[in-house]
Amino acid sequence: MKRKLVLLLVLFAAIQANAQEVIDLDISRSYTISVGPKAGANFTTMSGNPVGINMDAKMGYGFHAGLAANLHMGRHTESSKGGTGNFGLRLEALYSQLAVKAGDNDLKMDYISVPLLAEYYLTPRLNIEAGPTFMSMIKSSPDNMVVDGASIATSQLKGNDVLLSVGAGYEFKNGFTANVRYNLDFTDLAGNMPCKTNVLQVSIGWLFKIAQ
């Protein structure tokens, strides 16, 4: 009887230990989700010219600000915490102002910008990123500008665009982030303005873990 009781207790202890291990695995996620604000500077250049017009485009300076969400997946090693692996995803929603100088004009274009980027972590904190950035124009100014003796109606600038974005970022232990990104445009701004904008972005942010 005592032997059966001992075996029963051992079996109960083993089942309880196994259940606790399963619970621990469920609690210890293999990813982290972080969200927070970010802001920075835009350095915009413009290439291309309408027929017979020299845009004489020079770099202009703007800004961007908004929210970022980051999903960091996997583990760096088997004993590492979740969210230290090689792969991640980043989604942002930004207000972004692009500005260039064309002749004597300061052309400003305001967008809602939504980057959706795949990340590869070279270390648990240093990553490189690439993916599309979806742009939707809110407004532009001036409505009309004179360049090289020709009048160009900037009111015809297209409302939506998709850019290819590549960059790198670093995430500090306290959640502070630093990022540099280059956005490459492949389509014209408008039929009457066959020019493309390319944007170098430098930004900082602060991410707060909401799942880990």
Side-chain angles (χ1 to χ4, degrees), residues 137-200:
M137 182 176 287
I138 302 172
K139 63 178 180 179
S140 64
S141 64
D143 292 332
N144 189 81
M145 61 185 191
V146 177
V147 181
D148 197 20
S151 178
I152 301 175
T154 56
S155 58
Q156 296 183 27
L157 296 180
K158 64 184 178 182
N160 299 296
D161 201 0
V162 180
L163 282 66
L164 173 64
S165 300
V166 294
Y170 191 86
E171 302 169 13
F172 293 85
K173 190 174 182 179
N174 63 358
F176 181 80
T177 65
N179 178 270
V180 60
R181 184 180 298 163
Y182 191 73
N183 300 313
L184 184 63
D185 198 359
F186 293 98
T187 58
D188 295 338
L189 285 171
N192 67 331
M193 195 171 174
C195 305
K196 300 175 179 62
T197 55
N198 300 311
V199 187
L200 175 65

Side-chain angles (χ1 to χ4, degrees), residues 6 15 28 32 68 126 145 148 156 178 182:
V6 169
I15 293 173
S28 181
T32 60
L126 175 65
M145 61 185 191
D148 197 20
Q156 296 183 27
Y182 191 73

